[in-house]
């Protein structure tokens, strides 16, 4: 992998050719094959073999290529670490592959930044360098199969094909019936990522201990000062969510074993203690307040204490289902015995504040630009709440946003009357009046309207929960995982039916490299015959590509053909 750079630049040209010549389908197949072997060894409890396979995987060229590709095509690719280095060219990416070596590796300190939380507080993030991110992605390839195999069945955060909607659906299953548990322990771990005990991680995380120790002790730089990291795994690192999950794995299984050993399996089952966890937030059901207070909570506190963690006193409480509780932006409550899940008031208020900030901060932009800023926000929020009872909240939110947009419109033309402003900024579309829309010229040259996304037009769809035993690295679950992944991505693209058609026609794979199109990788709509050359917008002239592959097509004039499913 060592590339010498000659004065005539031929080595860089060679690097460019090499990066674009990578057979990504083969790379993915090689990596996945090794991960399946690691998962199988984990299931069989052959931990020495697991370590040997992990070591083998992290030394392969395929894994290094995949790691570099991941960190250069995700959302953080434009955010540099303390060295201010970005791998934004094919040459730099290819050369980076050769730098992913265990021997002599020494991570740089993290760059500390703060981002606002929904409650107004600031969340600390640690930004690693590109090299450290790629090394974390490389070792994560080897750790993930172990973490998935040993995870609790009802843990849903930061795991493949699992989401907040799955956690919501599991709570519904645990609380919706008349005979379901009526008491809820709503728990939150105080500063989970910042307080995990380093000694516990080094003893229990099945990965290269030396590399893990270097990451944990790398320190961070804030306002020019180097600070030691004596505990925790910083939010911002690619591997951090998986390390947090490994830390909390066993919460569900070991609690069930503890209750079974103390009360017997039959009585323990009657207590109806069910754990549903998403990252460091979790809820536990029980038949009575006493069970949760005297049996469950003390055990949870002891379980966390070993790992250097503790429950947040201000956010942890025990409530009756008839009084309701909030979890992951939803409000769960029974009304006369019927469980209804609605968007939480705090979640709706926080979203509305964000919308107001965008409208207030863009008082002078064109209407078209404001709509393009708002549409992704409105669509994302509405689709998040699509699986729950959200119609009333949708209507209220749409009315509030309309009021803000009306004020935005009037402010721009203080001398004009109401009717003039309405005709300029609001239109009738079908049976709908007062639609905030801007006249635009379409790609084919015709005139049309760019409409503000209609929140109330989002259909309510019941979410189909992932099976608790699903393991993405077990070949037995291969077909189920493929169907689940396609169904989830279809839903995320449902507002663009044409994209769904393209996605299905390609079998969910990129038309160039042949690897999976996921929400993490993203996708671009590519015209086989460019529109400037007379190509049409017909589906027969379009394919979906990864953003990275799309860039490759245009930079190197690569010819893409319409894929044919076998």
């Amino acid at each position: 992998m060592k590339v010498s750079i000659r004065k005539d630049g031929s080595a860089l040209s060679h690097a460019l050719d090499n990066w674009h010549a990578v057979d990504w389908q083969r790379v993915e197949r090689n990596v996945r094959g090794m991960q399946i072997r690691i998962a199988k060894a984990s299931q069989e409890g052959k931990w020495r073999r697991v370590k040997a396979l992990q070591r083998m995987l992290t030394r392969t060229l395929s894994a290094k290529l995949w790691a570099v590709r991941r960190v250069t095509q995700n959302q953080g690719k434009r955010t540099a670490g303390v060295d201010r280095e970005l791998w934004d060219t094919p040459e730099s990416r290819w050369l980076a592959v050769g730098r992913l070596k265990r021997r002599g590796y020494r991570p740089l300190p993290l760059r500390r930044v703060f981002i606002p939380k929904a409650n107004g507080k600031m969340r600390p993030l640690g930004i690693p360098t590109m090299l450290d991110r790629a090394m974390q992605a490389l070792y994560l390839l080897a750790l993930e199969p172990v973490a998935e195999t040993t995870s609790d069945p009802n843990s849903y955060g930061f795991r493949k094909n699992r989401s907040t909607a799955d956690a919501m659906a599991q709570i519904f299953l645990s609380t919706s019936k008349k005979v379901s548990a009526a008491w809820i322990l709503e728990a939150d771990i105080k500063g989970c990522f910042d307080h995990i005990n380093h000694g516990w991680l080094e003893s229990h995380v099945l990965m290269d201990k030396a590399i893990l120790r270097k990451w944990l002790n790398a320190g961070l730089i804030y306002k020019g000062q180097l600070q030691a990291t004596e505990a925790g795994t910083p939010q911002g690192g690619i591997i951090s969510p998986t390390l947090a999950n490994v830390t909390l794995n066993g919460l569900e299984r070991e609690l069930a074993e503890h209750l079974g050993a103390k009360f017997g399996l039959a009585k323990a089952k009657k207590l109806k203690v069910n754990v549903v966890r998403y990252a460091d937030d979790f809820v536990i059901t029980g038949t009575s307040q006493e069970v949760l207070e005297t049996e469950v909570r003390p055990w949870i506190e002891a379980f966390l204490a070993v790992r250097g963690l503790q429950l947040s006193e201000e956010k942890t409480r025990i409530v009756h289902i008839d009084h309701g509780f909030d979890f992951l932006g939803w409000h769960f409550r029974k009304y006369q015995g019927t469980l209804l899940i609605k968007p939480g008031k705090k979640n709706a208020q926080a979203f509305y504040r964000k919308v107001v900030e965008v409208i207030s901060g863009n008082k002078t932009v064109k209407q078209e630009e404001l709509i393009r800023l708002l549409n992704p926000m409105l669509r994302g929020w509405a689709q998040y709440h699509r699986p729950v009872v959200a119609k009333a909240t949708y209507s209220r939110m749409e009315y509030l946003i309309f009021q803000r947009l009306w004020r935005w419109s009037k402010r721009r033309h203080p001398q004009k009357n109401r009717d003039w402003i309405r005709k300029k900024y609001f239109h009738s579309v079908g049976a709908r009046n007062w639609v905030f829309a801007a006249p635009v010229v379409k790609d084919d040259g015709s005139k049309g309207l760019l409409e503000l996304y209609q929140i109330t037009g989002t259909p309510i769809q019941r979410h189909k929960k992932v099976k608790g035993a699903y393991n993405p690295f077990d070949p037995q679950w291969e077909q189920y995982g493929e169907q689940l992944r396609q169904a989830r991505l279809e839903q995320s693209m449902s507002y663009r039916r044409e994209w769904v058609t393209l996605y299905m026609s390609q079998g969910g794979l990129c038309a160039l490299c042949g690897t999976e199109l996921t929400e993490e990788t993203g996708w671009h709509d590519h015209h086989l015959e460019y529109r400037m050359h007379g190509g049409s917008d017909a589906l027969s002239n379009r394919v979906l590509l990864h953003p990275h592959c799309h860039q490759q097509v245009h930079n190197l004039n690569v010819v893409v053909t319409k894929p044919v499913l076998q």
Side-chain angles (χ1 to χ4, degrees), residues 364-375:
T364 59
V365 302
K366 292 182 179 179
Q367 184 185 15
E368 176 186 346
E369 187 176 339
L370 180 62
I371 292 174
R372 294 191 189 280
L373 288 172
L374 289 175
N375 274 356

Side-chain angles (χ1 to χ4, degrees), residues 154 235 258 391 423 433 472 476 497:
N154 291 307
Q235 295 185 63
H258 164 73
K391 280 297 184 183
K423 289 180 179 178
N433 297 318
Q476 294 181 1
R497 293 181 182 177

